[in-house]
C-alpha cells in the first residue's frame, strides 16, 4: 500500500534551491558580457527566469498527475513520434557553430529537441520493460526491441552532432536495462559492439581528436584546442577555499568561454570557492539520494524504472559537466542541470522532476 500523501519535501526543496542558485549564478556569469553585447546586464537571466517560472509551474502540475497516465501506448507512441520528428526537424534548420541542435522561431525563441528525448526515452523504457522483467534473458523479444528507440535517438543526436548528450542517452539506457534485470554479459557485448563506432567518432573527427589529445595534455595548446579547459582550470584554481566573492570572478570577463552554460561550475568555484562548489555537489548528492530512494521504495515496476531513469539522467549530466570543468573527462558540451543557462534544458528537467515528485507521493 502506498502510504505517502505528500511529495518528497527534500526532493522538492533541493530542486528549488538548485534553480534559484542557477539564476543567481547565471546573472553573475553573464551580466558583464550581456552588457557589452546586448546593452543590458539582464538579458540571459531574464530569459532563464521566464523558463524557470514556466518549468516550476509545469513541475507543480505534473507532480499531481498520476504516473499511470504515462504507462500507456496512447501516451508513449505519440511522444516517440513527436520526439523523432523534432530530432529530424533540426537538420532543416540553419546551423549554429557547425551544429544542428536547435529549432528556431525567429530571434526570440529556440528549442533543443534532444532535451525532450531524455525524459521520453526514460518513459518509453519504463513502459516497455515494466511487464517484461522476467524476460530480460530473451534478447530477441526483449533486449533488441528495447534498444531500437535508444539507438534511433542516439544516432540522430550524434548526427547533430552532440556526442555528450548521446552518451547520456546510452548511459541511461544501459543502467535502466541492468536495473530491469539484464545480465552483465549483454551489457558487455553491447559496449564492445559500440566501441568501434565511439572510437571512430573520437579519432576520425578532427575537432574531437583535438579535444581528446588536449584532455591528455591541457598545457600543450592553451590558446587553441585547450583554451576552454585551460581557462576553466585557472578559474577553479584561483577560487581557493572561499572564492573571490560573488560577482568578483575574473575569468568570466571574456576569458572563460560559455561561462554561463557549459562552464558555469568553474565560475561558481572561482567566486564561491571550494565551499560553494561543494555546496552544489552536496545538493546533487541529496537529489540523487532522494530520487533513488523514491525509485527503490516504489512497488510499481513502471514507476520504479521511471524514477530511476529520471534521477540517473540528471545525475549523469551533472557528473559529466563537473568532470569536464575539472578536466577529469574530455569536453562534451553538457550543461549543469537546473543551473546552466539554457531554457529547454531547464524546462524539460523540471518537467521530469514533476513526474519524479508524483512517483514520490505513491512510494511506500
Amino acid at each position: 500500500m502506498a502510504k505517502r500523501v505528500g511529495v518528497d519535501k527534500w526532493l522538492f526543496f533541493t530542486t528549488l534551491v538548485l534553480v534559484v542558485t542557477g539564476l543567481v549564478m547565471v546573472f553573475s556569469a553573464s551580466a558583464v558580457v550581456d552588457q557589452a553585447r546586448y546593452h543590458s546586464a539582464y538579458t540571459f537571466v531574464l530569459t532563464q527566469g521566464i523558463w524557470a517560472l514556466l518549468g516550476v509551474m509545469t513541475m507543480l502540475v505534473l507532480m499531481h498527475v498520476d504516473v499511470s497516465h504515462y504507462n500507456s501506448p496512447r501516451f508513449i507512441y505519440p511522444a516517440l513520434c513527436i520526439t523523432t520528428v523534432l530530432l529530424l526537424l533540426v537538420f532543416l534548420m540553419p546551423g549554429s557553430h557547425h551544429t544542428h541542435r536547435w529549432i528556431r522561431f525567429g530571434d526570440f525563441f529556440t528549442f533543443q529537441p534532444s532535451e525532450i528525448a531524455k525524459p521520453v526515452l526514460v518513459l518509453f523504457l519504463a513502459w516497455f520493460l515494466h511487464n517484461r522483467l522476467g524476460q530480460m534473458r530473451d534478447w530477441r523479444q526483449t533486449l533488441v526491441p528495447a534498444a531500437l528507440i535508444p539507438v534511433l535517438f542516439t544516432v540522430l543526436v550524434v548526427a547533430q552532432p552532440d556526442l555528450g548528450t548521446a552518451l547520456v542517452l546510452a548511459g541511461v539506457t544501459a543502467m535502466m536495462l541492468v536495473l530491469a534485470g539484464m545480465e552483465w554479459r549483454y551489457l558487455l557485448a553491447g559496449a564492445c559492439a559500440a566501441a568501434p563506432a565511439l572510437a571512430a567518432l573520437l579519432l576520425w573527427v578532427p575537432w574531437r581528436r583535438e579535444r581528446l589529445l588536449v584532455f591528455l595534455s591541457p598545457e600543450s595548446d592553451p590558446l587553441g584546442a585547450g583554451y576552454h579547459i585551460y581557462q576553466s582550470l585557472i578559474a577553479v584554481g584561483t577560487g581557493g577555499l572561499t572564492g573571490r566573492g560573488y560577482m568578483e570572478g575574473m575569468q568570466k570577463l571574456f576569458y572563460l568561454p560559455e561561462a554561463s552554460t557549459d562552464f558555469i561550475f568553474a565560475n561558481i568555484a572561482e567566486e564561491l570557492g571550494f565551499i560553494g562548489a561543494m555546496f552544489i555537489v552536496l545538493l546533487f548528492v541529496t537529489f540523487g539520494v532522494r530520487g533513488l530512494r523514491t525509485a527503490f521504495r516504489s512497488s510499481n515496476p513502471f514507476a520504479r524504472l521511471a524514477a530511476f531513469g529520471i534521477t540517473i539522467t540528471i545525475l549523469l549530466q551533472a557528473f559529466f559537466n563537473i568532470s569536464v570543468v575539472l578536466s577529469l573527462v574530455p569536453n562534451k558540451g553538457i550543461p549543469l542541470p537546473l543551473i546552466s543557462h539554457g531554457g529547454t534544458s531547464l524546462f524539460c528537467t523540471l518537467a521530469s522532476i514533476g513526474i519524479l515528485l508524483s512517483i514520490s507521493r505513491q512510494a511506500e
Side-chain angles (χ1 to χ4, degrees):
M1 289 288 294
K3 58 183 179 181
R4 182 180 295 156
V5 295
V7 299
D8 187 317
K9 294 180 176 59
W10 279 93
L11 198 58
F12 180 78
F13 285 109
T14 298
T15 299
L16 293 184
V17 172
L18 282 167
V19 171
V20 172
T21 302
L23 291 173
V24 170
M25 295 312 302
V26 164
F27 177 69
S28 172
S30 64
V32 174
V33 175
D34 281 358
Q35 183 64 48
R37 293 178 179 174
Y38 308 109
H39 309 292
S40 171
Y42 304 99
T43 302
F44 272 26
V45 73
L46 282 177
T47 58
Q48 187 78 347
I50 292 172
W51 279 107
L53 179 60
L54 292 174
V56 170
M57 292 173 60
T58 302
M59 180 182 74
L60 293 174
V61 171
L62 292 181
M63 74 183 193
H64 291 96
V65 176
D66 194 282
V67 293
S68 62
H69 288 87
Y70 311 110
N71 187 17
S72 167
R74 289 177 295 179
F75 172 83
I76 295 297
Y77 289 159
L80 291 176
C81 291
I82 292 171
T83 304
T84 303
V85 169
L86 291 175
L87 288 173
L88 289 170
L89 190 59
V90 296
F91 297 104
L92 301 179
M93 296 289 158
S96 175
H97 300 90
H98 307 291
T99 63
H100 293 270
R101 301 179 185 177
W102 295 272
I103 295 175
R104 301 181 183 277
F105 299 90
D107 297 328
F108 305 100
F109 178 74
T110 60
F111 192 76
Q112 192 170 0
S114 61
E115 293 295 334
I116 298 182
K118 298 169 188 175
V120 169
L121 178 66
V122 167
L123 293 175
F124 161 74
L125 288 172
W127 167 76
F128 186 84
L129 296 173
H130 82 281
N131 58 3
R132 293 177 171 84
L133 300 182
Q135 306 170 31
M136 295 304 294
R137 292 187 178 185
D138 187 347
W139 63 271
R140 287 188 179 88
Q141 301 298 322
T142 301
L143 297 184
V144 171
L148 290 179
I149 294 298
V151 169
L152 173 63
F153 283 5
T154 301
V155 169
L156 291 175
V157 171
V158 166
Q160 292 181 358
D162 186 355
L163 183 58
T165 299
L167 290 175
V168 171
L169 294 176
V172 171
T173 298
M175 292 185 187
M176 290 187 68
L177 287 171
V178 170
L179 178 67
M182 183 181 72
E183 296 181 359
W184 286 94
R185 61 192 178 101
Y186 291 121
L187 179 62
L188 180 60
C192 291
L198 180 60
L201 290 170
L202 291 173
L203 300 177
W204 289 358
V205 179
W207 56 272
R208 287 201 186 105
R209 184 171 63 248
E210 289 179 357
R211 282 185 179 181
L212 182 60
L213 293 175
V214 164
F215 164 70
L216 298 175
S217 180
E219 69 282 356
S220 62
D221 190 11
L223 298 179
Y227 183 79
H228 290 67
I229 190 59
Y230 198 74
Q231 298 301 320
S232 175
L233 292 175
I234 291 175
V236 172
T238 56
L241 181 63
T242 58
R244 293 178 179 268
Y246 180 66
M247 296 290 293
E248 298 298 324
M250 299 298 294
Q251 290 303 112
K252 66 188 180 186
L253 304 179
F254 306 98
Y255 294 102
L256 178 65
E258 311 297 342
S260 63
T261 53
D262 297 348
F263 287 92
I264 195 168
F265 188 76
N267 186 65
I268 292 172
E270 182 183 10
E271 294 189 351
L272 306 183
F274 178 79
I275 294 176
M278 288 307 298
F279 173 71
I280 299 299
V281 172
L282 181 60
L283 287 174
F284 278 109
V285 169
T286 302
F287 179 91
V289 169
R290 302 305 295 192
L292 293 176
R293 179 179 182 271
T294 295
F296 293 121
R297 288 171 67 93
S298 177
S299 59
N300 182 330
F302 172 81
R304 185 189 314 122
L305 287 165
F308 178 82
I310 291 169
T311 304
I312 290 300
T313 300
I314 295 171
L315 292 182
L316 267 181
Q317 291 177 89
F319 169 79
F320 278 135
N321 179 276
I322 294 173
S323 296
V324 165
V325 166
L326 300 178
S327 191
L328 299 177
V329 299
N331 187 5
K332 298 183 182 301
I334 296 177
L336 187 59
L338 302 173
I339 293 182
S340 291
H341 179 264
T344 312
S345 173
L346 179 59
F347 179 84
C348 291
T349 302
L350 286 170
S352 299
I353 294 173
I355 298 174
L356 180 61
L357 289 169
S358 174
I359 297 171
S360 76
R361 295 167 61 91
Q362 303 174 16
E364 292 184 347

